[in-house]
Amino acid sequence: GDCLVVQRAAHAIKGSVGNFQAAAAYQAAKELELVAKSANLEAARQVFAALEIRIEDVRRALRTLTKELSQRG
């Protein structure tokens, strides 16, 4: 059910952030995947909140990089 959906989504996110070498986001996604696998949705909510912060860090870094690259061009 819900835990499987969360587990699969976390796995996909883990792969995506891994492409950017975003270690903190990767670790948070990995933790969410493991927590969801254990069927603990309350813990999953807490880990998801941490993952959201880490994903925002990745977004911010990508925006900064894009801005820096466009200024060089």
Side-chain angles (χ1 to χ4, degrees):
D2 290 342
C3 289
L4 184 58
V5 170
V6 171
Q7 183 182 353
R8 287 180 178 167
H11 182 79
I13 292 168
K14 186 176 72 173
S16 295
V17 298
N19 289 326
F20 293 102
Q21 300 295 310
Y26 180 91
Q27 188 60 39
K30 182 178 176 180
E31 186 176 349
L32 180 57
E33 184 179 15
L34 293 173
V35 168
K37 191 174 186 176
S38 73
N40 186 342
L41 285 178
E42 184 55 40
R45 284 184 189 94
Q46 294 173 2
V47 175
F48 179 74
L51 176 58
E52 283 184 304
I53 293 167
R54 299 303 175 211
I55 293 293
E56 186 53 39
D57 292 343
V58 173
R59 287 181 182 155
R60 197 173 310 116
L62 289 172
R63 281 192 298 268
T64 299
L65 178 60
T66 300
K67 184 177 178 181
E68 289 173 1
L69 290 175
S70 68
Q71 290 173 348
R72 291 182 191 169

